[in-house]
């Protein structure tokens, strides 16, 4: 698989002299080196590949380089000199200097690939390799691969900007790469959510993904197979762990079992756990020999891959209870000493030290909540007795915030009442309780109640805490957006101190960035929304995790934006394996955008049954949580989808059902939500009329929708109203072209590339006809069409190791032509063909014609 983000001409790689790949087995280092080889050959460069081992002392390394250079440049391999054959003394640096001079004399851009550099002896790493890198001629570039850090001194190269290290995080498959790979293997048999789950299960580990594919490919139901794989009894984990443990000594197996209770492990922690200094040695041996331990680029911490950790943890569970508790307690003490408080609390709880665990939790959960990890706080809440919350105020606040930012607002308000009734609560805690109540109101989709709380809050002394000030700013911005004031919402978002803005993504900054991007989307400015949300989501995914509530909120909004930009292939993966988090840990607007976007994507893929299932689920969420916005949006979207297919009677039935159940505040356009929901209702009525061909009946609802869209500053809906008005006028015999052209012009300015298809099936055809009838359209139509260039099934790299005639002959060899047929095709003599064939066999060290073609494919000279 070609990984374009790791191409040699990619940003961050193109200007480097030395590229260093460092990762455990199974991360595709050699595969990437092979990709670079093909790229280099395609640029007419020379590639020298040398696989290294423990016998490559300095002098032997030079001899290997000489042979590799001859093979890579198409030169005959020279025999060793007499003193080299007899093992006489030679100066390896002089030999290496001569080799570098020969590279300079080649006069061609040369790539030296050194694979398995971790095998090199210490003397070679300390002396020969640094000398080679520091004295490389201008035409030499070096790519090295090793299983870890090899102790090579590269400070000078780093300072000069000549070195780029590529580690585990770079080599992991991205979600997009995993989806491409799985789609190529399984097609539509594997659902998008299941593909995303496999990616998260393997964490983008190429070998792990290969094992996952092998484990499920024979299954009749891939969804069930993926679920089984994700469970602790999955074949992938069992196969992986069994194959690894079979190669280890009993001591190493026991060691792995005892450290499996951690995701991250440190050598010092291993020593404390086992009370044995040999733990460092075992850790180093396992790092070099197994792919489940991964070291950080600039850290001593190592990570245990979850595929193996889960089954290893099952082995840990059968150890004697006294030993397990002792290990947990030792770990808790060490972690607490190193300020890893939450991990220490978990180990204390597992070790039976409940009071210590609760104290440690109180010390860390509030900060954890501030960083946006609400789900982790809620997990702790399930393990904390109610009396502990009452006697630990900071723990109670962390729980209240996390509950308010989920679907459990009623529980949050109970804790708020406890804070308000607490005579010992400070003024700052009372203000915080007010902020929690406002948050609970917003997540319950009750903006008017939140506005009342905010108004009361503003009359009290201002909060001293910057975090509380940020919460207040976010709430005011979201309420302004709900009221149809996107500019005011962005103004509030920008009223933040530089110190807070410079900090990493946390709960306050994450919601602020979401509101900022959402304001552009609501306003219909999808180009600005896309640009801002992309950067925010990338940062949140990296700092908080892909399934964090804030990351999911940003992803749902960006997916909706990309769908408006007509990029469904990008929008789908953003929501994959995130909808379960969205329903429980997202603001109502995020839930709405996620479900509507998922339904529209399903409809575009021809899965109308799934689209309506999602909309029915959204409707049920609105009914059970008493959020009319969700129910109204679900019904309005169902009407639109049926209208696009001309289902007039179904649309009418759905409209009557919607109209009967409308709340009074929507009919009267009261409150902060009333006008926005009334706009959706008017559009739904217009779509229902369009599906039945009742064009005259459309005009009234469209007039009301236009007024509401302008009032709410919803440019997308304004464009949609103009499109429907243009269509109604045309069907009623009036001139709808001015409205159509104005709507198309506005849509182009805003980046709304799908709005014609999403509004009515006849609009794209009418728009094309209008464009073709314009003078510019006629000129474009008269332009001659350039025929597509013919494609060759096999291409020959313009490598300098071959002459132009040799390249032509090699390509004809792939068609199984005889010498006589090649001579006729190239209009040369048969003896000339034989002479070139002899040279080709020598250059590729091949024994016959088939071997020659195979070697050419292997070396990347021939490419399908």
């Amino acid at each position: 698989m070609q990984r374009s983000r790791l191409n040699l001409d990619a940003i961050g790689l193109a200007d480097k002299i030395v590229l260093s790949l460092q990762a455990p087995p199974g991360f595709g280092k050699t595969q990437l080196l092979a990709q670079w080889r093909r790229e280099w050959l395609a640029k007419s460069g020379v590639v020298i590949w040398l696989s290294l081992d423990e016998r490559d002392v300095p002098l032997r390394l030079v001899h290997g380089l000489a042979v590799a250079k001859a093979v890579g440049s198409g030169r005959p391999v020279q025999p060793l000199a007499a003193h080299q054959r007899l093992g006489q003394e030679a100066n390896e640096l002089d030999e290496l200097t001569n080799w570098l001079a020969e590279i300079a004399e080649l006069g061609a851009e040369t790539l030296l690939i050194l694979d398995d550099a971790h095998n090199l002896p210490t003397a070679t790493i300390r002396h020969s390799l640094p000398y080679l890198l520091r004295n490389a001629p201008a035409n030499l570039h070096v790519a090295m691969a090793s299983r870890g850090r090899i102790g090579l001194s590269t400070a000078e190269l780093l300072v000069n900007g000549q070195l780029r290290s590529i580690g585990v995080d770079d080599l992991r498959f991205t979600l997009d790469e995993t989806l491409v790979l799985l789609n190529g293997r399984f097609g539509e048999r594997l659902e998008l959510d299941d593909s995303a789950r496999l990616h998260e299960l393997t964490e983008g580990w190429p070998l792990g993904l290969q094992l996952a594919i092998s484990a499920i490919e024979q299954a009749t139901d891939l969804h069930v197979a993926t679920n089984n794989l994700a469970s602790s009894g999955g074949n992938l984990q069992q196969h992986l762990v069994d194959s690894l443990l079979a190669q280890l000594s009993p001591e190493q197996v026991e060691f792995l079992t005892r450290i499996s209770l951690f995701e991250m492990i440190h050598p010092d922690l291993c020593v404390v756990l086992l009370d044995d200094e040999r733990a460092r040695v075992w850790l180093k041996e396992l790092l070099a020999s197994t792919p489940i331990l991964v070291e950080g680029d600039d850290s001593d911490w190592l990570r245990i891959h979850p595929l193996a950790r889960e089954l290893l943890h099952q082995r840990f569970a059968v150890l004697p209870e006294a030993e397990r508790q002792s290990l947990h307690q030792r770990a808790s003490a060490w972690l607490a000493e190193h300020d890893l408080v939450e991990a220490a609390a978990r180990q204390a709880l597992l070790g039976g030290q409940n009071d210590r665990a609760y104290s440690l939790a109180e010390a860390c959960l509030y900060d954890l909540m501030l960083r946006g990890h609400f789900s982790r706080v809620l997990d702790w809440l399930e393990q904390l007795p109610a009396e502990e919350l009452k006697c630990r105020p900071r723990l109670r606040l962390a729980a209240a915030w996390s509950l308010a930012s989920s679907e459990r607002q009623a529980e949050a308000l109970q804790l708020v009442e406890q804070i308000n009734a607490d005579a010992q609560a400070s003024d700052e805690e009372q203000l915080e309780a007010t902020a929690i109540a406002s948050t609970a109101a917003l997540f319950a989709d009750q903006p008017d109640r939140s506005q009342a709380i905010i108004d009361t809050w503003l009359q009290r002394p201002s909060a001293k805490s910057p975090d509380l000030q940020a919460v207040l700013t976010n709430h005011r911005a979201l309420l302004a957006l709900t009221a149809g004031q996107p500019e005011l919402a962005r103004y509030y978002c920008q009223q933040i101190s530089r110190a807070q803005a410079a900090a990493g993504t946390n709960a306050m900054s994450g919601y602020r960035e979401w509101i900022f991007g959402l304001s552009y989307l609501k306003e219909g400015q999808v180009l600005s929304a896309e640009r801002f949300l992309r950067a925010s989501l990338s940062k949140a995914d990296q700092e908080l995790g892909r399934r964090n509530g804030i990351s999911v909120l940003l992803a749902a909004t960006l997916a909706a934006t990309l769908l408006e930009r007509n990029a469904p292939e990008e929008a789908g993966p953003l929501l994959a394996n995130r909808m379960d988090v969205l329903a429980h840990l997202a603001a109502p607007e995020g839930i709405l955008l996620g479900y509507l976007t998922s339904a529209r994507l399903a409809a575009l893929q021809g899965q109308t049954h799934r689209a309506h299932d999602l909309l029915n689920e959204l409707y049920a969420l609105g009914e059970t949580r008493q959020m009319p916005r969700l129910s109204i949006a679900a019904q309005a979207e169902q009407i639109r989808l049926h209208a696009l297919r001309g289902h007039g009677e179904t649309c009418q039935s759905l409209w009557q059902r919607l109209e009967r159940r409308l709340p009074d505040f929507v009919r009267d356009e009261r409150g902060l939500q009333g006008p926005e929901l009334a706009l959706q209702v008017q559009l739904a009525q217009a779509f229902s009329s369009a599906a039945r061909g009742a064009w005259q009946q459309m005009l009234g609802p469209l007039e009301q929708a236009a007024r509401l869209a302008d009032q709410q500053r919803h440019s997308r809906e304004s464009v949609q109203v103009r499109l429907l008005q243009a269509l109604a006028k045309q069907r009623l015999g009036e001139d709808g072209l001015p409205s159509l052209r104005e709507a198309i012009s506005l849509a182009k300015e805003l980046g709304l590339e799908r709005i014609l298809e999403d509004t009515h099936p006849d609009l794209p055809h009418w728009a094309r006809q209008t464009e073709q009838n314009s003078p510019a359209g006629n000129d474009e139509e008269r332009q001659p069409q350039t025929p597509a260039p013919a494609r060759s099934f096999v291409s020959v790299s313009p490598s300098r190791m071959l002459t132009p005639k040799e390249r032509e002959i090699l390509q004809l060899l792939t068609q199984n032509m005889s010498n006589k047929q090649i001579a006729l095709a190239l209009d040369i003599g048969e003896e000339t063909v034989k002479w070139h064939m002899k040279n080709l066999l020598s250059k590729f060290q091949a024994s016959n014609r088939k071997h020659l073609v195979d070697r050419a494919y292997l070396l990347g000279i021939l490419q399908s």
Side-chain angles (χ1 to χ4, degrees):
M1 179 171 137
Q2 184 78 12
R3 307 180 72 180
S4 57
R5 65 184 176 86
L6 294 175
N7 283 350
L8 285 172
D9 57 359
I11 297 175
L13 299 182
D15 60 338
K16 304 305 178 187
I17 303 300
V18 180
L19 298 173
S20 175
L21 301 178
Q22 299 176 5
F27 274 90
K29 299 185 297 296
T30 303
Q31 181 73 15
L32 183 57
L33 292 177
Q35 174 182 317
W36 288 348
R37 177 180 200 151
R38 291 192 297 272
E39 291 180 53
W40 200 269
L41 290 172
K43 297 177 181 178
S44 302
V46 172
V47 178
I48 301 171
W49 185 306
L50 182 61
S51 295
L52 305 167
D53 59 39
E54 63 279 356
R55 297 171 297 167
D56 285 316
V57 294
L59 190 58
R60 189 175 187 272
L61 172 68
V62 180
H63 299 165
L65 289 172
V67 174
K69 169 183 164 293
V71 173
S73 60
R75 308 296 201 271
V77 178
Q78 298 294 333
L80 296 177
H83 71 276
Q84 295 168 341
R85 291 198 308 272
L86 297 174
Q88 296 173 3
E89 290 294 328
N91 188 317
E92 64 272 8
L93 293 184
D94 288 344
E95 297 280 341
L96 192 53
T97 302
N98 292 335
W99 184 85
L100 291 170
E102 292 175 3
I103 294 296
E105 291 174 0
L106 278 178
E109 291 296 318
T110 303
L111 176 65
L112 170 61
I113 294 177
L114 301 174
D115 201 5
D116 295 330
H118 56 275
N119 289 329
L120 285 173
T122 303
T124 307
I125 292 175
R126 288 183 178 176
H127 303 294
S128 300
L129 203 50
Y131 183 84
L132 186 152
L133 298 179
R134 290 170 186 158
N135 295 279
N139 65 325
L140 180 62
H141 299 253
V142 182
M144 300 183 297
S146 64
R147 292 187 175 181
R149 294 193 291 265
I150 59 175
L152 179 65
S153 176
T154 55
E156 182 181 339
L157 294 170
L158 276 172
V159 169
N160 294 332
Q162 297 174 314
L163 171 69
R164 165 72 189 276
S165 291
I166 298 174
V168 168
D169 290 339
D170 299 298
L171 291 171
R172 293 185 194 279
F173 282 162
T174 63
L175 176 60
D176 289 340
E177 290 171 338
T178 299
L179 294 179
V180 168
L181 189 66
L182 292 175
N183 185 61
R185 189 66 171 265
F186 298 111
E188 295 183 359
R189 290 181 58 210
L190 190 66
E191 294 181 5
L192 190 59
D193 278 357
D194 291 330
S195 296
R197 287 190 71 191
L198 288 177
H199 174 77
E200 291 172 10
L201 181 66
T202 60
E203 296 187 328
W205 178 31
L207 179 58
L209 192 61
Q210 180 85 4
L211 289 171
I213 291 172
S214 302
I216 69 172
E217 62 183 348
Q218 300 300 325
T220 54
D221 190 328
L222 294 181
H223 177 69
V224 173
T226 302
N227 286 337
N228 292 337
L229 195 60
S231 68
S232 59
N235 294 332
L236 175 58
Q237 294 98 318
Q238 195 69 53
H239 171 73
L240 174 64
V241 176
D242 287 349
S243 61
L244 288 174
L245 297 187
Q247 305 174 38
L248 303 179
S249 67
E251 282 183 325
Q252 289 175 319
V253 173
E254 293 297 316
F255 172 68
L256 265 180
T257 300
R258 281 159 178 77
I259 68 172
S260 65
L261 62 159
F262 303 101
E263 292 182 10
M264 303 289 293
I265 195 72
H266 191 279
D268 293 345
L269 177 56
C270 294
V271 172
V272 170
L273 281 178
L274 277 70
D275 194 21
D276 192 334
E277 285 292 335
R278 290 180 296 172
R280 297 180 190 277
V281 178
W282 293 334
L283 200 62
K284 189 174 181 179
E285 291 174 350
L286 288 168
L287 180 63
S289 60
T290 63
I292 61 170
L293 286 175
V294 181
E295 64 179 342
D297 291 336
D298 299 305
S299 171
D300 291 332
W301 284 89
L302 292 90
R303 192 169 190 280
I304 303 177
H305 200 287
L307 285 175
R309 180 175 174 265
E310 192 171 354
L311 283 179
L312 285 170
H313 198 55
Q314 291 180 8
R315 289 174 170 263
F316 179 86
V318 301
L319 294 175
E321 183 178 358
E323 182 181 359
R324 284 186 282 117
Q325 287 208 339
S326 175
L327 289 169
H328 286 306
Q329 291 169 9
R330 290 182 193 176
S332 177
W334 188 91
L335 291 166
E337 287 176 7
H338 292 79
D339 295 327
L340 301 168
V341 185
E342 189 205 358
R346 290 191 181 279
Q347 293 302 316
L349 196 62
L350 292 169
Q353 298 173 314
N354 289 355
D355 289 340
R356 172 181 166 81
Y358 301 150
S359 297
L360 290 169
E362 184 180 18
C364 71
L365 289 190
Y366 191 86
D367 290 335
L368 200 65
M369 175 276 300
L370 287 178
R371 296 201 302 271
H373 298 293
F374 300 114
S375 60
R376 284 162 64 180
V377 177
L378 293 175
D379 288 342
W380 267 101
L381 194 57
E382 301 301 322
Q383 304 177 66
L384 291 171
E387 57 271 15
E388 292 294 333
L389 287 180
K390 291 181 181 179
C391 64
R392 299 179 186 273
R394 197 163 178 82
L395 203 56
R396 182 172 57 191
L397 285 170
W401 276 115
S402 301
L403 290 167
S405 302
S406 70
E407 60 181 324
R408 300 163 64 179
Q409 295 87 24
E411 297 174 63
L413 293 177
Q414 291 175 2
L415 294 178
V416 167
E417 290 176 3
Q418 291 181 17
I419 297 170
N420 289 330
D422 189 348
Q424 297 181 349
S426 65
D427 291 341
E428 196 77 3
E429 287 174 339
Q430 296 284 345
L431 283 172
E432 192 160 357
T434 304
I436 293 170
S438 176
T439 301
L442 286 174
F443 274 76
D445 208 20
Q446 297 173 353
D448 292 296
R449 184 160 68 89
S450 178
Q451 183 69 68
I453 295 171
I454 293 294
D455 291 341
T456 304
W457 190 1
L458 291 172
Q459 296 171 7
R460 301 172 65 176
S462 61
K464 297 178 183 178
S465 166
D467 294 325
L468 281 183
Q469 292 176 6
V471 171
L472 175 61
T473 300
N474 286 348
H475 287 192
R476 297 182 74 183
L478 189 55
L479 291 170
L481 186 57
T482 307
Q485 297 175 298
E487 301 98 335
L488 183 59
R490 289 194 289 273
Y491 171 79
Y492 283 136
C493 288
Q494 291 166 343
Q495 304 308 302
I496 193 71
S497 68
R498 291 185 179 180
Q500 286 178 295
T505 302
N506 56 28
M508 276 66 69
S509 67
Y511 283 124
R512 183 177 66 252
E513 293 186 10
W514 169 66
I515 295 167
F516 201 94
L518 179 64
S519 72
Y520 282 125
L521 178 60
K522 285 272 195 178
E523 205 173 19
Q525 297 189 46
V526 295
L527 295 172
S528 298
E530 179 188 358
R531 183 172 60 253
F532 185 83
L533 289 167
R534 275 190 189 278
S536 298
L537 177 60
S538 176
K539 186 171 62 171
D541 278 350
Q542 183 177 2
E543 296 179 4
L544 301 178
R546 190 175 183 275
R547 285 172 59 82
N548 180 275
I550 293 171
S551 301
V552 170
L553 197 58
L554 289 164
T557 312
L558 178 57
T561 303
L562 289 173
L563 189 55
E564 295 291 349
R565 299 274 291 123
N566 201 22
E569 68 287 347
E570 289 188 75
L574 287 175
L575 294 171
N577 201 29
R578 274 172 158 162
M579 293 297 292
D580 57 325
V581 179
L582 187 73
H584 300 290
L585 287 176
E589 186 70 43
I591 297 173
L592 185 66
L593 288 172
Y595 272 91
L596 290 181
T597 304
S598 294
R600 290 170 180 172
L601 288 169
L604 286 176
Q605 295 164 359
Q607 301 175 351
T608 53
H609 63 287
R610 173 164 169 73
H612 289 292
D613 285 345
L614 286 164
L615 294 173
N616 288 331
E617 187 177 338
L618 179 62
Y619 178 84
L621 279 175
E623 292 293 293
T624 55
R625 298 187 189 178
Q626 298 182 347
M627 296 181 180
R629 176 160 48 153
L630 304 188
S631 303
I632 290 172
Q635 291 175 296
E637 181 63 14
Q638 283 187 320
I639 290 173
R640 188 189 69 84
L641 290 179
H642 281 295
L644 289 178
R645 289 164 176 78
H647 301 162
E649 295 301 322
T650 303
C651 286
Q652 181 66 10
S653 175
L654 287 170
W655 161 247
Q656 291 173 353
R657 178 187 176 193
L658 171 60
E659 203 273 337
R660 283 195 304 268
R661 297 176 64 87
L662 276 182
D664 290 338
F665 77 90
V666 178
R667 296 181 190 276
D668 301 336
E669 300 178 15
R670 286 187 285 107
L672 291 174
Q673 279 189 347
E676 182 178 359
L677 297 186
L679 170 60
Q680 294 183 32
V681 171
Q682 297 292 349
L683 279 173
Q685 186 177 6
F687 277 118
S688 177
S689 299
R692 292 180 290 110
W695 305 108
Q696 189 65 46
Q697 294 179 20
M698 282 178 61
L699 298 179
L702 288 177
E703 185 177 346
Q704 294 299 319
R707 173 182 61 83
L708 290 165
D710 291 341
Q711 175 184 326
Q712 293 293 111
R713 300 296 307 278
H714 287 188
S715 298
R716 180 193 182 278
E717 284 72 18
S718 292
V719 172
Q720 199 164 48
V721 167
R722 284 181 170 83
L723 288 172
L724 288 171
Q725 286 175 331
L727 191 63
K729 289 178 181 178
Q730 189 233 21
R731 297 298 168 86
L732 291 171
E734 301 176 18
D735 185 8
L737 278 178
S739 296
L740 176 68
R741 287 175 176 147
E742 182 179 351
I744 292 174
S745 176
L746 287 170
K748 288 180 178 179
E749 288 179 10
L750 296 169
L752 299 167
E753 298 181 21
R754 276 207 57 83
I755 196 162
L756 270 71
E757 293 88 342
D758 289 342
T759 303
H760 196 278
D762 293 343
L763 283 171
H765 178 66
W766 187 19
R768 284 193 297 271
Q769 278 187 328
T770 302
E771 188 174 352
Q772 288 171 1
N773 292 334
S774 67
N778 291 331
D779 290 343
E780 185 177 342
E781 190 175 301
R782 284 194 294 269
Q783 290 180 359
Q785 298 295 319
T786 304
R791 292 180 176 268
S792 174
F793 290 101
V794 178
S795 64
V796 183
S797 171
S799 171
R800 292 176 65 95
M801 70 180 290
L802 301 179
T803 65
K805 190 62 68 179
E806 288 170 348
R807 287 198 289 271
E808 292 178 349
I809 291 174
L810 182 59
Q811 186 166 39
L812 294 176
L813 278 176
T814 63
Q815 302 174 31
N816 295 320
M817 285 189 176
S818 65
N819 288 351
K820 185 175 182 179
Q821 290 172 318
I822 292 173
L824 289 172
L826 298 180
D827 195 22
I828 57 176
E830 190 172 348
E831 290 300 318
T832 305
V833 174
K834 291 180 179 178
W835 182 77
H836 285 300
M837 282 294 302
K838 180 180 178 181
N839 289 338
L840 284 169
L841 291 169
S842 173
K843 287 183 178 182
F844 284 95
Q845 298 179 328
S847 57
N848 53 50
R849 295 159 65 97
K850 183 179 183 304
H851 190 198
L852 168 61
V853 173
D854 290 341
R855 289 278 295 163
Y857 274 115
L858 178 66
L859 296 176
I861 302 297
L862 283 177
Q863 298 180 39
S864 298

